[in-house]
Amino acid sequence: MEGKESCVDPPKVNGEVDGNIKENAEKVKEQANKCFKDKNYEEAIRLYTEAITINSESAVYFANRSFAQLRMENYGYALEDASKAIAIDKKYIKGYYRRASAYMTLGKFKQALRDFEAVVKVRPHDKDAKLKYTECSKIVKQKAFEKAIACDDQKKPVSETVSLDSMSVESTYEGPRIPDGGIDESFMKDLIQWFKDQKRLHKRYAYQMLLEIKDILSKLPSLVDVTVEKDNKLTVCGDIHGQYYDLCHIFEINNLPSKENPYLFNGDFVDRGSWSVEVILILFGYKILFPQHFHMVRGNHETDNMNQMYGFEGEVKEKYGGNMMGLFSEVFNWLPLAYCVNGKVLVMHGGLCEQDGVTLNDLRQIERNRQPPESGNMCDLLWSDPQLIKGRGTSKRGVSCQFGPDVTQKFLQDNGLDYIIRSHEVKQEGYESQHNGKCVTIFSAPNYCDQMGNKGAFITLRPPDLKPQFTQFQAVEHPKMQPMAYANSFMRMPGMF
């Protein structure tokens, strides 16, 4: 697996690692540090692994690799490396910082708090440690309070409390207005430009769109079968992550959605990027306009925990107030978990399941109107990743699993499929074909988080063979707004990521 070191102990003299061994390992570590600084995190991980292979008794190497794993969103690996750093040197503060960061990304706030408590005990006058401890403590207390006051059986869904008639549109509002006959192509074109100009859609129309899309999505099965007719095509896009101006660039390259130009967006529309509201409203608008020709799959970031940490909830509250976030959550719960194209290609955000023998009918039967569980088919469709070796492995993310080429082949044979398309992972070229071409990853957020330097890509599928055709594109300029601008304050702290 990526980032795993040899278990061979380095040569020692009088119980200490040989000086030449240390020197060689340090040289490799310095190369890794340079790669990290250059944002080449995959190569940094490889070099840190090489340094660890030379000298596996350095807490620094494990902590540094943990940091690089965090940048690659390999939270499970990051947690494991930070724990190894702590096991080597229990007083190594960065090890606790890294492990706390990994715990936070996995929503394990109490465990993160325990690590910061350990840091504060060792460094009681460390201002940075105190700040992180205080912020983490606030999150834990907030979660406990929310749990204490929760009355889910009595609380009405936001969708049942919204009154559009009570939301008047001021005469001073100059933005797009939904016509009496409903959303049309003219409204969508105006909305795209309005958002490009960094202006907000009136909340009355935003609520109207959310109520309408909820009604549309709730009538769909968890696995949707879609047919692409002869002489037509389907464009499949991967993660967008709030990168609105790159979404607009896709539409410029490949034309706007229409009945003749259908799209499928494969999850992770929101979070991290700071125009997630604009992205999701445009996508919902086109789903409303072309319900049979515009498709959306739920990603692991269309969930409450992710939205609380990575910015979407903060962005919605900033732009529209807190009540709307509850409605977004309801809508996200109804997003389908997978699509099957012409009975040949299965599209899901994450990947295949941890258990053998899963059928397409099993996926159709998933009760999806909820927050994803920590295990099971729903969790796997959102979170799993492919691996190069056969069988299944522990998840590098700390959630679900990794699946090998044999797992993919058996699933395809059992269900009469040609291959799968998934997203969920940044790829330097915007896409990657694995498992002998049977597992294709597509990622459509170029220069992810303004730091990864990757290309974006989308797939064009044409009958009858549906062979994937890839179109790559570079990131475009956007207004000066940092990614994660609306994320939880803890996530924006120096040294966390």
Side-chain angles (χ1 to χ4, degrees):
M1 287 183 207
E2 180 186 51
K4 296 302 176 184
E5 70 288 345
S6 168
C7 294
V8 177
D9 291 331
K12 297 180 181 180
V13 178
N14 297 324
E16 292 290 328
V17 176
D18 181 78
N20 290 332
I21 296 294
K22 283 186 176 181
E23 184 178 349
N24 290 338
E26 278 295 300
K27 288 179 180 178
V28 177
K29 184 205 76 173
E30 290 305 316
Q31 295 176 35
N33 287 350
K34 184 179 185 304
C35 288
F36 186 95
K37 186 177 180 181
D38 293 340
K39 300 177 182 178
N40 187 352
Y41 303 119
E42 286 191 53
E43 181 63 9
I45 289 170
R46 188 190 70 79
L47 289 167
Y48 286 134
T49 301
E50 184 178 331
I52 289 168
T53 301
I54 299 170
N55 177 14
S56 60
E57 296 194 10
S58 170
V60 174
Y61 301 167
F62 283 103
N64 284 8
R65 191 172 71 177
S66 176
F67 201 3
Q69 298 284 17
L70 283 170
R71 290 297 177 109
M72 291 298 295
E73 302 185 6
N74 299 334
Y75 306 133
Y77 285 175
L79 183 63
E80 184 179 340
D81 277 344
S83 295
K84 287 180 178 177
I86 293 167
I88 293 170
D89 184 356
K90 288 183 169 54
K91 293 184 179 180
Y92 185 56
I93 299 304
K94 284 188 178 179
Y96 291 94
Y97 281 168
R98 299 292 172 251
R99 190 164 73 176
S101 300
Y103 276 137
M104 290 293 290
T105 60
L106 294 169
K108 299 179 184 291
F109 306 112
K110 290 183 180 179
Q111 292 92 323
L113 183 60
R114 282 200 295 268
D115 276 344
F116 282 124
E117 286 174 339
V119 174
V120 171
K121 285 181 181 178
V122 175
R123 298 278 185 87
H125 302 297
D126 186 324
K127 292 182 179 179
D128 187 58
K130 282 185 176 180
L131 181 61
K132 289 181 170 67
Y133 170 78
T134 301
E135 287 299 316
C136 188
S137 180
K138 287 180 181 177
I139 294 172
V140 172
K141 290 177 181 177
Q142 179 185 348
K143 293 288 182 183
F145 176 73
E146 290 172 354
K147 185 177 180 180
I149 65 172
C151 299
D152 293 339
D153 57 333
Q154 299 178 10
K155 188 177 179 181
K156 280 189 175 183
V158 175
S159 56
E160 295 181 13
T161 65
V162 173
S163 172
L164 295 179
D165 293 337
S166 67
M167 300 181 192
S168 58
V169 180
E170 301 82 0
S171 58
T172 54
Y173 174 69
E174 299 178 347
R177 296 170 180 255
I178 296 178
D180 291 340
I183 289 173
D184 57 20
E185 291 185 73
S186 178
F187 169 81
M188 290 305 303
K189 289 178 181 178
D190 290 345
L191 185 59
I192 288 172
Q193 186 59 51
W194 188 251
F195 284 159
K196 278 186 179 180
D197 295 337
Q198 301 185 73
K199 298 178 181 179
R200 295 177 190 172
L201 178 67
H202 194 281
K203 71 174 184 178
R204 199 267 185 213
Y205 300 123
Y207 272 108
Q208 182 178 339
M209 291 174 73
L210 288 176
L211 292 174
E212 191 165 352
I213 195 69
K214 179 176 181 287
D215 182 61
I216 291 171
L217 295 177
S218 64
K219 295 174 182 176
L220 296 176
S222 292
L223 167 61
V224 180
D225 292 282
V226 62
T227 300
V228 183
E229 302 292 348
K230 184 181 178 182
D231 299 325
N232 208 335
K233 67 172 185 175
L234 175 67
T235 300
V236 182
C237 298
D239 302 40
I240 300 296
H241 275 300
Q243 297 184 197
Y244 177 69
Y245 295 86
D246 294 312
L247 172 64
C248 293
H249 188 47
I250 292 173
F251 291 154
E252 290 165 1
I253 297 170
N254 197 56
N255 295 323
L256 291 172
S258 67
K259 291 181 179 179
E260 295 73 32
N261 191 33
Y263 279 82
L264 191 160
F265 281 83
N266 196 24
D268 281 13
F269 322 114
V270 301
D271 280 340
R272 294 193 178 274
S274 297
W275 294 277
S276 292
V277 166
E278 288 77 6
V279 166
I280 196 65
L281 288 179
I282 290 297
L283 297 182
F284 282 166
Y286 275 115
K287 178 63 179 175
I288 294 168
L289 180 57
F290 304 117
Q292 305 301 321
H293 301 86
F294 193 91
H295 313 289
M296 300 175 69
V297 177
R298 189 177 190 176
N300 65 301
H301 276 268
E302 279 70 59
T303 56
D304 288 353
N305 279 343
M306 293 292 105
N307 295 160
Q308 289 167 4
M309 296 301 297
Y310 288 96
F312 185 59
E313 180 176 296
E315 184 180 342
V316 172
K317 288 181 177 178
E318 171 69 22
K319 294 178 178 179
Y320 285 107
N323 200 42
M324 185 177 283
M325 187 60 221
L327 185 50
F328 268 115
S329 180
E330 288 182 43
V331 173
F332 287 167
N333 283 350
W334 282 113
L335 283 165
L337 302 176
Y339 270 76
C340 188
V341 183
N342 289 17
K344 292 184 175 184
V345 182
L346 186 67
V347 185
M348 78 290 283
H349 178 72
L352 298 180
C353 299
E354 196 164 6
Q355 301 298 320
D356 281 328
V358 174
T359 67
L360 296 185
N361 195 51
D362 291 330
L363 303 185
R364 291 187 182 95
Q365 301 304 315
I366 294 174
E367 295 291 338
R368 72 183 187 280
N369 181 25
R370 56 176 173 160
Q371 291 302 300
E374 294 184 1
S375 62
N377 291 344
M378 181 176 179
C379 172
D380 296 333
L381 290 172
L382 299 176
W383 279 98
S384 69
D385 295 287
Q387 65 181 19
L388 296 178
I389 61 175
K390 290 183 177 182
R392 291 182 176 85
T394 303
S395 171
K396 61 186 178 183
R397 299 175 189 268
V399 183
S400 187
C401 68
Q402 295 185 108
F403 57 94
D406 56 325
V407 175
T408 298
Q409 186 61 38
K410 186 176 188 307
F411 177 82
L412 296 176
Q413 288 176 348
D414 289 349
N415 290 283
L417 299 168
D418 289 350
Y419 66 98
I420 64 170
I421 296 175
R422 41 91 62 182
S423 299
H424 196 40
E425 288 182 286
V426 59
K427 298 296 180 183
Q428 284 304 116
E429 296 301 312
Y431 70 93
E432 185 175 41
S433 182
Q434 296 172 277
H435 298 179
N436 300 314
K438 301 300 184 181
C439 176
V440 176
T441 298
I442 190 71
F443 193 85
S444 303
N447 194 24
Y448 182 42
C449 292
D450 287 352
Q451 67 177 14
M452 297 299 287
N454 60 292
K455 296 176 183 177
F458 56 81
I459 296 172
T460 303
L461 301 179
R462 285 187 167 89
D465 60 3
L466 299 181
K467 182 180 178 180
Q469 298 175 322
F470 302 100
T471 301
Q472 297 171 295
F473 57 94
Q474 300 282 1
V476 296
E477 290 187 10
H478 60 70
K480 290 184 178 180
M481 172 75 83
Q482 293 294 320
M484 303 283 281
Y486 300 99
N488 183 284
S489 59
F490 187 97
M491 305 295 279
R492 302 194 302 270
M493 286 183 173
M496 294 312 296
F497 294 94

